[in-house]
Amino acid sequence: MTPGQTLAERESRTDPESDREAPGLSPEDEARLIGEVMERHYRQVLDEAVPALGDVTPRQAARTVNGREKLVAWLKSLENNAAKAGDGQRGLAAYDFTWMWHELGVTKLRK
């Protein structure tokens, strides 16, 4: 499950405790917190098998031509899905995946 899906699921749950007013976060704090969660998540994912990459890790995929093609498509899908989150999840939509491209050595393939 992606961080965005986790947040959406949490918001959709019906919980009697959720009826209480929770103090709101500023857009900046929300973006920062979501960014921290996403970075931890994706740093871990870089070393886990990803079905979209043929059940290899992103680091392993970066080592072969075929793997890099799948990796670029996967990274673009992550970026596009985050961008589609829109205003409902400002922090998610604002997340910058650039570090992943650098970390995996595929920055020059980013178009």
Side-chain angles (χ1 to χ4, degrees), residues 12-88:
S12 68
R13 288 186 196 145
T14 55
D15 178 2
E17 295 292 313
S18 68
D19 291 336
R20 288 193 238 150
E21 284 293 316
L25 291 175
S26 70
E28 296 80 16
D29 286 341
E30 180 182 352
R32 181 183 53 77
L33 289 173
I34 290 173
E36 289 172 4
V37 169
M38 290 184 66
E39 181 138 354
R40 275 194 306 272
H41 170 74
Y42 285 118
R43 287 214 177 269
Q44 182 177 341
V45 168
L46 293 183
D47 296 308
E48 295 177 350
V50 174
L53 301 176
D55 289 320
V56 300
T57 71
R59 293 184 199 282
Q60 291 169 324
R63 295 181 192 144
T64 67
V65 173
N66 186 39
R68 281 190 297 275
E69 289 175 11
K70 290 178 182 179
L71 181 60
V72 167
W74 179 70
L75 289 168
K76 287 181 180 181
S77 73
L78 295 178
E79 291 178 325
N80 290 335
N81 289 336
K84 289 177 187 174
D87 289 340

